[in-house]
Amino acid sequence: MSAPGWLGMLLLTASQSLVAMAETPALLVRPDAAARDQLRAALSRVLKVPTVTLADDALLRDSLLVIEKVRPRDARGLQLDGRDRDKPEPFRLLKVDDACLLLRLRTGERIALPASHCVASNN
């Protein structure tokens, strides 16, 4: 391969590395009510469900958020339907420059969370 060809491959690899470095797993920092409401609304919209229940520490200790469908239960607490064909839906919080994004891992869809503040995480 000629020198210009190698240079082009090197530049392409470098630009891909910069993109990969710019997106890092993240954790929420002191989310206020507006940030939590925005997160719930974004998840509801993407999952096409009326409400989403989140733990108080969601995305505070781990950048991975897994949403499971609520399964109907009878008065004794047993599932009404023994078969569960719905898979949990995983999301990852990302820090991209100064923005927080929620990545839907199954589809690659990215959801901006402008009301949130996040920091890079190791997980």
Side-chain angles (χ1 to χ4, degrees):
M1 185 177 284
S2 67
W6 281 107
L7 182 59
M9 286 183 65
L10 180 62
L11 289 174
L12 178 62
T13 303
S15 67
Q16 289 172 340
S17 295
L18 287 174
V19 169
M21 287 174 50
E23 274 188 6
T24 59
L27 300 175
L28 290 177
V29 177
R30 295 182 304 279
D32 59 11
R36 289 192 178 281
D37 289 345
Q38 184 180 66
L39 176 60
R40 275 190 217 95
L43 289 166
S44 293
R45 186 175 58 255
V46 168
L47 297 173
K48 297 178 175 73
V49 295
T51 60
V52 174
T53 301
L54 297 173
D56 289 339
D57 66 348
L59 298 172
L60 295 176
R61 300 171 198 248
D62 194 335
S63 64
L64 182 66
L65 176 66
V66 180
I67 304 294
E68 293 186 13
K69 180 180 175 185
V70 175
R71 293 169 185 88
R73 298 185 180 271
D74 66 13
R76 296 178 297 167
L78 301 174
Q79 284 188 20
L80 293 178
D81 181 10
R83 294 184 181 180
D84 183 13
R85 298 180 194 268
D86 292 325
K87 294 181 181 178
E89 189 74 45
F91 293 85
R92 174 134 354 245
L93 184 65
L94 300 175
K95 183 171 177 65
V96 181
D97 296 326
D98 289 332
C100 299
L101 299 178
L102 198 58
L103 171 64
R104 188 176 187 183
L105 295 176
R106 187 174 55 83
T107 65
E109 180 179 4
R110 286 167 165 71
I111 304 132
L113 299 172
S116 296
H117 176 68
C118 58
V119 294
S121 167
N122 295 333
N123 58 22

